[in-house]
Amino acid sequence: MDLEAVRTFLAVLDSGRFRQAADELSITQQAVSKRVAALEKELGVRLLTRTAHGAEATIDGQAFLPHARALLHAEARALASVRPGSRALRVDVIGRRLAPAALLRAFHRTHPETELDVVTLFDADAAVAALRSGTIDASFRAVTMPGRHLPEGIGALPVLDEPIELLTGPAHALASARAVTPTRLAGHRIWVPGIVSGTEWAAYYADLAAEFGLTIEVTGPDFGVEPLLDTVADSPELATFVGAGTRLVWPEAHDLRRIPVHGPTPVYPHSLLWSLDNPHPALLALREHLAAPTAEPPEADIWTPSWAHRRVRRPAF
């Protein structure tokens, strides 16, 4: 159904005259008559009749009137739903316990008026595809993986170099250490069951292991965070890596230890990705928030893969 014809029908009824409706719509009176005639032909009924007092609705016109108004209201709602800034900003954070989710929460605290839709996609390929299709507005990812480049039209802003920590149980040989060097971890079993071949975090851990001679095991199914913590808590041999910004809660009896890794400090390079032609105003606000300089100077003695995009400054945890 031609909504312009519906709009013209309502303009005639509201004004009471074809000429006045033409003036309001900035079209000719002849065009008004043609639109109404076309609508009547489509519906197969007369909607308006001319009287000495102006245009009035017929019985069929009166029946159609509330539906005509509903059609235009639906049109207005449809347009508003996709108007830049009128819908929630949809952001992929990889995992809701991880550091990018904390960055997004900090943004929301300073921009409480911004509506957010938080999602978690599997890997960088899925995130980039979602950005290009318009199903998400932004994604936190590590870029660029070896041998790969972001496609044209995708922007990247380094937003966080997140330190990696060692997580052990109380019986582990390194449990009492206040800090460890990466080379000191050589020979220890580090279990990270969530590593999936071809992902950006798989590339990161492969380079980390190669750089410092580490043994990072990926054996066994990934049953999630809680079973991983249970296993590490009970093991004198197994440890795992966690990001300094990862939020973890465990039973008090586990007595797990988060041990900083320094000399150098391995950091995971998070970047914000977005489509360059995305006009959502909240996206610009998010980028400006994440790009703002921090009070803490950058740490000089850090390690990250040669392919990583580095942030000049990083917030402390």
Side-chain angles (χ1 to χ4, degrees):
M1 181 172 293
D2 184 356
L3 292 183
E4 288 304 314
V6 174
R7 197 183 326 275
T8 303
F9 161 72
L10 290 174
V12 172
L13 272 187
D14 291 340
S15 66
R17 298 191 179 275
F18 279 72
R19 180 176 295 280
Q20 190 171 339
D23 292 340
E24 292 177 358
L25 297 173
S26 298
I27 59 178
T28 65
Q29 185 175 341
Q30 183 181 16
V32 170
S33 298
K34 285 184 176 181
R35 287 184 182 181
V36 172
L39 182 61
E40 291 176 330
K41 182 178 180 180
E42 180 178 1
L43 296 174
V45 296
R46 286 281 304 278
L47 297 174
L48 296 172
T49 183
R50 297 176 186 266
T51 71
H53 304 291
E56 294 181 359
T58 64
I59 293 178
D60 290 319
Q62 292 173 9
F64 180 64
L65 179 59
H67 303 290
R69 297 198 189 280
L71 284 171
L72 294 191
H73 289 159
E75 178 195 33
R77 289 195 300 271
L79 292 173
S81 71
V82 294
R83 186 171 293 118
S86 61
R87 63 168 177 80
L89 185 73
R90 177 170 288 189
V91 184
D92 162 45
V93 296
I94 309 178
R96 297 177 189 272
R97 299 186 184 188
L98 305 184
L103 292 178
L104 196 58
R105 286 194 297 270
F107 167 74
H108 192 252
R109 284 195 297 270
T110 59
H111 297 75
E113 74 288 350
T114 299
E115 187 178 358
L116 296 174
D117 184 7
V118 183
V119 301
T120 55
L121 301 179
F122 177 66
D123 62 4
D125 288 342
V128 169
L131 288 171
R132 299 185 75 179
S133 67
T135 56
I136 64 172
D137 296 300
S139 175
F140 289 92
R141 293 290 161 178
V143 294
T144 300
M145 292 175 59
R148 298 188 184 181
H149 300 280
L150 289 174
E152 185 177 353
I154 300 297
L157 172 69
V159 295
L160 174 65
D161 288 337
E162 181 187 9
I164 299 299
E165 296 179 337
L166 186 73
L167 185 70
T168 76
H172 193 276
L174 298 175
S176 61
R178 300 187 64 177
V180 294
T181 63
T183 53
R184 188 179 176 187
L185 299 178
H188 290 279
R189 296 175 60 196
I190 301 171
W191 188 43
V192 188
I195 294 178
V196 178
S197 178
T199 60
E200 63 267 32
W201 59 91
Y204 175 83
Y205 282 116
D207 280 15
L208 178 64
E211 180 73 18
F212 299 105
L214 307 183
T215 301
I216 298 180
E217 301 179 10
V218 299
T219 56
D222 179 16
F223 289 112
V225 174
E226 283 73 19
L228 172 63
L229 299 182
D230 292 343
T231 300
V232 170
D234 293 337
S235 175
E237 297 179 351
L238 287 178
T240 192
F241 282 130
V242 296
T246 300
R247 296 167 59 92
L248 294 175
V249 178
W250 55 78
E252 184 177 357
H254 277 15
D255 195 20
L256 292 170
R257 319 292 172 85
R258 296 182 71 143
I259 304 170
V261 182
H262 296 311
T265 300
V267 299
Y268 192 88
H270 298 281
S271 290
L272 183 76
L273 307 185
W274 73 95
S275 177
L276 295 177
D277 61 0
N278 188 322
H280 201 301
L283 177 58
L284 177 60
L286 175 61
R287 286 161 44 200
E288 291 177 343
H289 171 85
L290 294 172
T294 59
E296 183 183 5
E299 184 177 343
D301 189 21
I302 69 173
W303 176 91
T304 198
S306 59
W307 46 262
H309 288 196
R310 288 287 313 283
R311 175 172 168 81
V312 177
R313 295 174 180 267
R314 64 173 178 82
F317 287 96

